Amino acid sequence: MGKRTKKVGITGKYGTRYGSTLRKLVRKIEVSQHSTYRCVFCGKNTVKRESAGIWKCRSCKKVVAGGAYTLSTASAVTVRSTIGRLRRLADESA
């Protein structure tokens, strides 16, 4: 069976509906939500999306809360780095 879509990828199911710009945005989201991510516990690329915000590792069976479409959101990364910086400052001062 030949390759059906060259440019549109996963959004080929929408055909010519909804406009090209919206289909490009949806493509980025759908590709990220269907891809596998690295597990922080076992280190394997086996974390898949169960439902919105729930991610499960197929290898070690751990369930992690994350973003709706990606395992880790940009704001979560910022919060983690801020908390780490504040902990280091608290340890230095104490």
Side-chain angles (χ1 to χ4, degrees):
M1 189 166 170
K3 188 174 179 181
R4 292 186 298 250
T5 60
K6 187 172 185 178
K7 295 181 181 180
V8 295
I10 197 168
T11 55
K13 61 187 175 186
Y14 300 121
T16 58
R17 296 181 298 273
Y18 313 116
S20 63
T21 306
L22 289 176
R23 288 196 311 269
K24 286 174 189 171
L25 292 172
V26 170
R27 178 183 183 188
K28 187 174 81 166
I29 292 170
E30 287 191 1
V31 166
S32 67
Q33 83 178 21
H34 290 121
S35 61
T36 57
Y37 291 88
R38 182 173 298 273
C39 179
V40 294
F41 301 102
C42 66
K44 295 179 182 175
N45 285 330
T46 53
V47 178
K48 294 264 313 171
R49 181 180 187 255
E50 290 284 303
S51 60
I54 299 176
W55 299 81
K56 186 175 182 181
C57 178
R58 291 179 173 177
S59 178
C60 63
K61 308 293 191 236
K62 295 268 188 179
V63 179
V64 181
Y69 306 116
T70 58
L71 180 60
S72 181
T73 61
S75 59
V77 171
T78 305
V79 168
R80 270 198 300 271
S81 64
T82 304
I83 289 173
R85 182 175 50 82
L86 292 172
R87 278 193 181 142
R88 276 186 267 116
L89 287 172
D91 290 342
E92 290 172 2
S93 64

